[in-house]
Amino acid sequence: MWESESESGAGREYGSGLLTSTKHSLKTEGFQQRGNCWYVSTDIPSDLLVQIGDANFHLHKYPLLSRSGKLNRIIYDSRNPDLNKIVMDDLPGGPEAFELASKFCYGIAIDLTAGNISGLRCAAEYLEMTEDLEEGNLIFKTEAFLSYVVLSSWRDSIVVLKSCEKLSPWAENLQIVRRCSESIAWKACANPKGIRWSYTGRVPKVASPKWNDMKDSSPSRNQQVPPDWWFEDVSILRIDHFVRVITAIKVKGMRFEMIGAGIMHYAIKWLPGLMNKDTSIPGEEGSNSSTSNSISSSGGSWKGGLHMIVAGPRDDTSTLQAKDQRMIIESLISIIPPQKDSVSCSFLLRLLRMANMLKVAPALITELEKRVGMQFEQATLADLLIPCYNKNETTYDVDLVQRLLEHFLVQEQNESSSPSRPPFPDKHVSSNINAKTRVARLVDSYLTEVSRDRNLSLTKFQVLSEALPESARTSDDGLYRAIDSYLKAHPTLTEHERKRLCRVMDCQKLSIDACMHAAQNERLPLRVVVQVLFSEQVKISNALANNGSLKEGAESHYQPMIPNRKTLLEGTPQSFQEGWTAAKKDINTLKFELETVKTKYLELQNDMENLQKHFDKLLKQKHSSAWSSGWKKLSKLTKMTNVENHDISPQIPTSEEQNRKTTTRRWRNSIS
C-alpha cells in the first residue's frame, strides 16, 4: 500500500530486477516452449532431461551441474555418468521457478519481481545453488533482492507473503514468512509521514489521486490518512499468514481497538455467512469461491504457519469449505486481543453462532462465551437469537444465553470485588448498575421472544428469569410481558404451574398500564390478580398521602414549584396526558370495585360468625346425654324432699345432717 523513498534506489542497484550470470554460460538464444516441453536454442544437442510434473526440460548438464549442488549429488550418487533423466516433482515453485533457475544457469537475464522471488528463492535452496559452487550464485542474488528491495516496500511485502501460500514449508524454513510479516507490521505501525501511498488490495476509485505521480507532496500534508488504511491489503492473505501479521503487529504495540477492527474486517471478508442471520452450513446449498480460495488454493493441505487449534470433534461429512471456515474461526478466536472492547459484542455473538454451527472445538467456544460475557450489556436481541442445532430441542439456544448471563454476572462480581478499584468508586458502581439494568431489559425481551416456543420448558424459563438479582430490574413490565406470552403459548399449564410461573414476578414493580392489563388478564391465577390490585391500591394510597403532605407544605414550597410544573406539562406529549387521564378513570373504577369487594367480604364475615354461633349451639345440644338430664331431675327431687322434711321435722340431729352432707359430696365427686 505504500512505498518508501529508498525503493527506487534499490531497484536501480539491481538493474530493475534483471539478473544475469556470464560465468561459464553457454551461448544460446533463449528457451523455446513446445507444449509442455522446453528446449534450449543452441547448436549443441541436449544431454539431460529434467521432469517436473507434466513439464519436461531438455537441457545440458554442464551449465546446471556447475551451479547446482543437488544435481551434482544426484548424478554422483547414481554412479552412472550416462544418466540423462532426472525427476524432481517436489521442487518448490514448480516449473515456473525451475525455468528461471535454469535460465540463470545459462546466463540468460531474468526479471526478478515480487511475484516470483519467493518461488525462485525456495527453488535455489532446493537446488543448492550456493556460493561454494560459484560466487554470486542464485541464493545470494535472491536473498539480496528480498532483503533490500522487497522488505523495504509495503506492496512487495504483501505480494511476496501472498505468494508464499504455495511454498510451505520452504518459505517458513527460509524465514520469508517471518520477515515479510514483521516488515508489514512495522509499516502498519509506523508514522505515515513522508511516505508515498499506493493502494494494492483496494480497488482505486476513478476520482482518487494517484499518489505515485505526485512528486513533492504526501498524504500527511494534503490529505489525512485513514487509520484503517492497511485493513484491505492485509485481508487478502491466507488465515495462517494473517495470524502471523497480527501477532507481529501486537508485538509492535498497536492499539487493541485497531487490531480488533482489522480482525473484524478480515472475518467479514472471508466469512460471508457472518453477517447473514439465516446461515446454513457452507457447502450444503452453495459454495463461496473466495473462501475456498483462501486456504485450498494451495491444494487444501496447509500444515505450516503459526496457528493454534484445540482438537475437537469433527464430522466426516463436512465439506472442505466448512473445514476451511472452521479453521478461520478457530484462528480468529485465538488472536482476538484480550481487552474488553477490542471487538464489538455483536461481532462476537455472530462469530459464536457460526462456531456452534460449524462445531468448533468446545474449548474455543467456551473462551468465546467468556468474551461475550465481558461485554454482554452491549448485545442486541437480534444477535442473541442463536438457533439451537441439537434436534428435539428449542428453536433458540436458551442454554447458551443462560451461560452468557452467568459469565456476565461472574465478571461483574470480579470487578466489584477486585482490589484495584478505579479512583471514582461511585461512578464504577453506577456503571455496574446501568449495565445490569440493560442486561435485565435484554433478558426480558429475549424471554418474550423465546416464550412462544412450545418446547421451552417452565424450568428453563424460570431459571433464566431468576438469574439476575432483584436490584437489576427497576420495573417488571418486561417480565410480565414474557409471562403473558408464555401463558398464551402454553394453555395446558396447571394451576400450580401458573402460580409457579408468576412467582418470578414482583407485582409491586408493575406500572399502571401493566396493572390494568393484569387485572383483566384471565390467564393469570386469581391470587396474582388480587396481589396486583392490592399493590395498586397501596401505590394509590401512598400517592394520595404524598400529595396531602405536599399540600400541607404548600405555603413554603408552592411558589418555586409552579414554573417547574408548567415546564413539565409543556414538555409532556399530548398523547401521554390523554393516556394519563384515561388511566385515572380506570383507577377510580378499580377503587370502586375494591370497595365493593371489601363490603361483600365484611358481609360474608358476619354470616360466617352467625353460622359459627349456631353451629356451637347445635354441638352443645348434641353432647348433652340422658345421664346428665337424669341427674338434674334427681337433684330437683332431692331439693323437694329436703324441703318437705324440713317442714315435717325441722329438728334433726347435727351428726346425722353432717354425715348426709359428707356422703352426698363424696358421691358427687365420684360421679364427676
Side-chain angles (χ1 to χ4, degrees):
M1 191 168 182
W2 57 262
E3 299 175 353
S4 66
E5 299 290 345
S6 61
E7 289 183 10
S8 58
R12 287 193 298 269
E13 182 180 354
Y14 282 88
S16 300
L18 293 176
L19 285 185
T20 60
S21 178
T22 58
K23 295 182 180 181
H24 309 290
S25 61
L26 182 65
K27 191 173 182 179
T28 178
E29 296 178 359
F31 279 40
Q32 293 180 357
Q33 183 179 7
R34 300 172 189 174
N36 291 332
C37 298
W38 292 86
Y39 299 92
V40 183
S41 300
T42 61
D43 296 335
I44 304 175
S46 62
D47 57 353
L48 181 63
L49 173 62
V50 180
Q51 183 178 354
I52 301 175
D54 296 334
N56 296 320
F57 293 86
H58 298 272
L59 306 174
H60 302 83
K61 290 183 180 179
Y62 175 71
L64 297 178
L65 297 180
S66 63
R67 294 171 178 84
S68 174
K70 186 177 182 64
L71 294 177
N72 265 305
R73 190 173 64 256
I74 291 175
I75 294 177
Y76 175 77
D77 292 341
S78 66
R79 301 184 183 277
N80 182 11
D82 297 331
L83 180 66
N84 58 3
K85 182 178 180 181
I86 298 176
V87 179
M88 294 188 297
D89 292 334
D90 57 344
L91 185 139
E96 296 82 6
F98 184 76
E99 177 192 354
L100 296 176
S102 59
K103 285 182 178 180
F104 176 80
C105 293
Y106 278 92
I108 301 174
I110 59 176
D111 187 10
L112 294 183
T113 63
N116 62 23
I117 187 62
S118 58
L120 188 57
R121 173 68 181 88
C122 295
E125 189 71 23
Y126 177 87
L127 295 173
E128 301 176 10
M129 303 176 70
T130 62
E131 295 294 298
D132 297 337
L133 298 176
E134 181 183 353
E135 186 179 355
N137 210 345
L138 188 57
I139 290 180
F140 173 79
K141 298 288 187 180
T142 53
E143 189 66 31
F145 187 83
L146 277 171
S147 301
Y148 294 104
V149 178
V150 171
L151 298 181
S152 62
S153 169
W154 167 268
R155 179 185 179 278
D156 291 346
S157 299
I158 293 287
V159 173
V160 170
L161 190 57
K162 180 68 177 176
S163 65
C164 290
E165 295 176 358
K166 301 178 181 180
L167 300 172
S168 298
W170 287 91
E172 283 285 345
N173 296 335
L174 295 176
Q175 305 297 320
I176 299 176
V177 174
R178 181 189 62 79
R179 288 183 289 172
C180 289
S181 301
E182 291 181 354
S183 174
I184 294 170
W186 180 84
K187 293 176 176 61
C189 300
N191 190 347
K193 186 177 181 180
I195 302 294
R196 291 205 310 262
W197 299 80
S198 59
Y199 289 76
T200 56
R202 187 178 303 172
V203 179
K205 297 181 181 179
V206 178
S208 60
K210 298 180 180 180
W211 297 111
N212 289 335
D213 297 338
M214 302 175 66
K215 297 181 179 179
D216 298 330
S217 62
S218 63
S220 59
R221 297 177 183 177
N222 299 336
Q223 183 177 348
Q224 185 177 3
V225 178
D228 60 346
W229 63 267
W230 55 275
F231 289 0
E232 187 66 25
D233 287 348
V234 174
S235 64
I236 70 174
L237 300 174
R238 199 174 62 182
I239 182 61
D240 57 319
H241 295 159
F242 178 77
V243 170
R244 295 292 295 268
V245 171
I246 294 297
T247 304
I249 288 177
K250 287 182 180 179
V251 175
K252 300 297 180 183
M254 180 177 285
R255 291 184 295 113
F256 63 87
E257 297 93 345
M258 290 301 302
I259 296 176
I263 293 174
M264 289 190 291
H265 184 88
Y266 186 91
I268 292 172
K269 182 173 183 177
W270 293 112
L271 300 173
L274 189 67
M275 305 307 295
N276 185 13
K277 183 178 178 181
D278 300 327
T279 305
S280 60
I281 296 178
E284 291 186 353
E285 299 180 358
S287 62
N288 190 334
S289 59
S290 63
T291 307
S292 60
N293 290 338
S294 64
I295 294 178
S296 59
S297 60
S298 59
S301 60
W302 169 75
K303 298 181 181 179
L306 177 63
H307 182 64
M308 183 184 73
I309 299 179
V310 180
R314 297 290 183 264
D315 292 338
D316 296 333
T317 59
S318 299
T319 61
L320 178 62
Q321 186 177 358
K323 292 180 180 178
D324 292 346
Q325 292 198 359
R326 186 187 301 120
M327 182 182 296
I328 292 175
I329 292 174
E330 291 176 344
S331 301
L332 293 180
I333 294 174
S334 63
I335 62 174
I336 294 176
Q339 288 79 4
K340 181 177 181 180
D341 295 324
S342 57
V343 293
S344 64
C345 185
S346 177
F347 170 76
L348 292 174
L349 286 169
R350 292 176 184 272
L351 197 64
L352 182 59
R353 181 193 295 120
M354 286 200 69
N356 287 328
M357 179 184 65
L358 296 172
K359 297 182 180 180
V360 172
L364 291 176
I365 290 181
T366 303
E367 181 66 24
L368 194 57
E369 290 176 358
K370 291 181 180 179
R371 293 299 308 274
V372 175
M374 291 173 60
Q375 46 198 100
F376 192 55
E377 69 276 6
Q378 304 172 6
T380 60
L381 178 60
D383 295 329
L384 281 183
L385 297 177
I386 300 176
C388 185
Y389 296 100
N390 297 327
K391 296 181 179 180
N392 300 326
E393 290 289 338
T394 55
T395 305
Y396 298 109
D397 199 343
V398 182
D399 295 333
L400 173 61
V401 177
Q402 175 70 27
R403 293 195 300 269
L404 297 179
L405 186 58
E406 291 175 356
H407 290 312
F408 168 77
L409 295 175
V410 170
Q411 181 68 23
E412 289 292 321
Q413 185 177 2
N414 293 337
E415 289 182 358
S416 60
S417 61
S418 60
S420 57
R421 294 183 177 179
F424 302 101
D426 296 338
K427 294 183 179 180
H428 181 68
V429 172
S430 62
S431 63
N432 289 342
I433 295 175
N434 294 333
K436 289 182 180 179
T437 303
R438 288 193 295 268
V439 170
R441 289 197 295 263
L442 179 63
V443 171
D444 293 344
S445 301
Y446 181 80
L447 287 172
T448 304
E449 187 68 26
V450 301
S451 61
R452 303 184 181 95
D453 189 358
R454 296 291 182 87
N455 295 328
L456 180 63
S457 63
L458 178 60
T459 302
K460 286 187 177 182
F461 185 94
Q462 186 177 7
V463 169
L464 184 57
S465 59
E466 293 179 345
L468 286 168
E470 296 182 358
S471 59
R473 290 186 176 92
T474 57
S475 174
D476 278 8
D477 288 3
L479 194 57
Y480 167 70
R481 191 180 299 108
I483 291 173
D484 185 52
S485 178
Y486 190 87
L487 291 174
K488 287 181 182 178
H490 301 78
T492 59
L493 291 178
T494 62
E495 187 70 16
H496 174 71
E497 290 175 341
R498 292 173 185 268
K499 291 180 180 179
R500 176 184 166 191
L501 176 65
C502 296
R503 200 174 295 132
V504 303
M505 176 183 60
D506 188 0
C507 298
Q508 297 181 0
K509 291 185 178 181
L510 295 178
S511 63
I512 297 177
D513 295 335
C515 289
M516 292 169 56
H517 187 278
Q520 303 174 4
N521 194 346
E522 297 178 354
R523 290 179 291 273
L524 294 177
L526 182 61
R527 181 178 180 181
V528 177
V529 176
V530 173
Q531 289 178 354
V532 170
L533 294 175
F534 177 75
S535 62
E536 187 60 26
Q537 187 175 9
V538 170
K539 291 179 183 178
I540 295 172
S541 301
N542 294 334
L544 293 175
N546 294 332
N547 192 15
S549 62
L550 290 175
K551 287 182 179 180
E552 292 178 359
E555 295 181 358
S556 59
H557 299 286
Y558 182 74
Q559 293 297 332
M561 290 178 63
I562 292 177
N564 295 334
R565 181 178 297 178
K566 288 183 178 181
T567 305
L568 291 174
L569 290 175
E570 291 175 358
T572 303
Q574 186 67 23
S575 60
F576 182 81
Q577 296 180 10
E578 294 175 356
W580 176 248
T581 304
K584 291 173 71 175
K585 293 181 180 179
D586 294 335
I587 290 172
N588 293 331
T589 304
L590 291 173
K591 288 175 64 177
F592 177 75
E593 293 178 356
L594 278 174
E595 294 296 334
T596 304
V597 171
K598 286 183 178 180
T599 304
K600 291 182 179 180
Y601 176 75
L602 293 175
E603 293 177 356
L604 290 174
Q605 191 174 6
N606 292 330
D607 295 340
M608 185 65 183
E609 292 178 355
N610 294 331
L611 289 173
Q612 187 67 31
K613 292 179 180 179
H614 184 65
F615 180 74
D616 293 339
K617 289 181 180 179
L618 292 176
L619 190 62
K620 289 180 180 180
Q621 293 178 2
K622 185 176 180 180
H623 284 291
S624 58
S625 60
W627 176 259
S628 60
S629 59
W631 167 248
K632 291 180 181 179
K633 291 180 181 180
L634 288 174
S635 61
K636 290 181 181 179
L637 182 61
T638 304
K639 289 181 180 180
M640 294 176 60
T641 306
N642 292 335
V643 171
E644 291 177 358
N645 294 332
H646 180 72
D647 293 337
I648 296 173
S649 55
Q651 294 182 355
I652 299 175
T654 305
S655 60
E656 294 179 1
E657 187 176 354
Q658 289 178 353
N659 293 332
R660 187 166 52 253
K661 288 182 180 181
T662 303
T663 305
T664 302
R665 186 182 300 111
R666 290 177 180 175
W667 182 61
R668 286 181 182 177
N669 291 336
S670 64
I671 291 299
S672 61

